[in-house]
Amino acid sequence: MFELRRLRLLHELALRGTIVEVARALSYSPSTVSQQLALLEREAGVALLEPDGRRVRLTAEGRLLAAHASRAIDLDEAVRAELSHAQHLPANVRLAVMPTAAEALVPRALTLLSERMPGLRLEMVELAPEHGLFELQAHGFDLVVAEQYPGHTRELRDGIDRTLLGHDPIRLAVPPSSRATKLGDLREAAWAMEPQGAAVRQWAVQQCRAAGFEPDVRFDATDLVAHARLVAAGHAAAMLPDLVWTGGRDSVRLLELPGNPVREIFAATRTSSRDNPAVQAVLGALTDALSAHVPR
């Protein structure tokens, strides 16, 4: 019989690519990871790893066993969840959320959960969607809240399900003193956008180009609240989703963008834990929190 903890190490190696990264993710030493993988090779009776320069890579048999390991880990998770629910044990859900969801949705969702499932323990980490979705597949989280901008879909991953929570309108935010009435009026403006490489940055730049200009991006920040404050202080223009305005939006002027774009807010779960009552409760609370969010 294969030892499940060793299968987990092989699964992690298939995802992360190096023993050092596996060790860092699971708080082991690299030598411990190597030793346990060597024991797994003995259990399997075939070579699972082969040299690749100064690193190692999975053999064909290693990739085959890693695929089975993923299913075994999922089954173990599902069984544990069913047993905990049957025994009415306290539930624990690990949640990764993007910054706007952490501010606008999680507090309301926690209030709803305290009424609907008082024994549930929700642990939250604020994390960029691309990192959260990767760690979801690696079993680092049970649920991830992420977004998709128009024309920029997130990568689809095996064993991951998505639930649409709702839509979040995106508007053009300008300082109160700005005379702009449309996007094309801001060709000379300074812009606040997310860093290069982010899907939303690509989307925002394309909106400006469609309006006939290349944006002068002077402020790079992942924190959309920082964008909003730069706009309110009169130093920038920005394209911001409505979820940013948890504290009101009287300090800026909002204009509609061409086509009235919206971003999709979705929650991702592993297929193996999708039916977990605690995960379903968190999904329901997040959905209701989004539907109740009405900017002033």
Side-chain angles (χ1 to χ4, degrees):
M1 294 178 63
F2 292 114
E3 214 282 334
L4 189 60
R5 286 174 295 180
R6 293 179 191 135
L7 290 175
R8 171 75 184 275
L9 293 176
L10 188 67
H11 170 69
E12 291 279 347
L13 182 59
L15 290 175
R16 301 184 188 277
T18 70
I19 286 176
V20 170
E21 288 300 318
V22 173
R24 182 179 293 117
L26 299 182
S27 300
Y28 292 146
S29 68
S31 60
T32 297
V33 174
S34 296
Q35 291 168 4
Q36 291 300 309
L37 289 173
L39 288 173
L40 183 61
E41 280 191 318
R42 293 181 198 172
E43 292 175 349
V46 295
L48 302 176
L49 310 176
E50 60 187 2
D52 183 17
R54 299 178 63 181
R55 300 180 177 182
V56 296
R57 64 184 176 192
L58 298 183
T59 63
E61 292 80 7
R63 292 192 296 273
L64 176 65
L65 185 56
H68 284 290
S70 179
R71 290 191 287 273
I73 295 166
D74 285 346
L75 181 59
D76 178 75
E77 177 181 52
V79 170
R80 290 179 183 275
E82 286 187 29
L83 290 174
S84 295
H85 182 64
Q87 299 176 68
H88 305 288
L89 297 176
N92 183 54
V93 174
R94 300 160 297 169
L95 173 67
V97 294
M98 57 190 184
T100 48
E103 296 176 16
L105 301 185
V106 172
R108 172 61 177 162
L110 284 168
T111 299
L112 294 173
L113 287 167
S114 68
E115 302 166 355
R116 298 173 181 179
M117 189 174 281
L120 184 138
R121 173 187 171 91
L122 182 67
E123 299 174 1
M124 185 206 80
V125 174
E126 185 180 297
L127 207 60
E130 50 271 22
H131 299 307
L133 291 168
F134 176 85
E135 292 298 337
L136 174 68
Q137 193 172 24
H139 289 250
F141 298 101
D142 302 304
L143 194 150
V144 175
V145 176
E147 97 288 53
Q148 287 187 156
Y149 278 77
H152 290 79
T153 57
R154 295 279 180 188
E155 178 185 357
L156 299 175
R157 299 175 181 270
D158 291 339
I160 302 299
D161 289 338
R162 296 183 182 184
T163 301
L164 179 65
L165 300 179
H167 295 91
D168 189 17
I170 309 163
R171 307 180 202 273
L172 179 59
V174 298
S177 60
S178 173
R179 295 182 179 180
T181 60
K182 59 183 184 301
L183 180 57
D185 295 337
L186 294 164
R187 63 181 64 249
E188 302 299 328
W191 284 85
M193 292 187 181
E194 292 202 29
Q196 288 279 6
V200 59
R201 169 68 170 262
Q202 299 172 26
W203 177 83
V205 169
Q206 288 300 322
Q207 305 313 298
C208 293
R209 289 174 180 170
F213 67 94
E214 193 71 19
D216 177 10
V217 184
R218 300 185 198 176
F219 310 105
D220 283 29
T222 57
D223 184 359
L224 298 186
V225 174
H227 294 201
R229 289 176 177 168
L230 286 166
V231 175
H235 301 304
M239 298 180 202
L240 295 172
D242 279 0
L243 278 184
V244 170
W245 311 110
T246 53
R249 55 183 182 179
D250 296 336
S251 58
V252 303
R253 195 158 59 85
L254 296 181
L255 306 174
E256 297 299 331
L257 285 164
N260 298 313
V262 298
R263 63 174 185 168
E264 291 183 352
I265 308 296
F266 69 89
T269 58
R270 285 183 299 280
T271 303
S272 58
S273 60
R274 175 184 55 199
D275 297 328
N276 183 325
V279 170
Q280 284 295 314
V282 176
L283 275 173
L286 288 168
T287 302
D288 292 342
L290 180 57
S291 65
H293 181 82
V294 180
R296 298 176 186 173

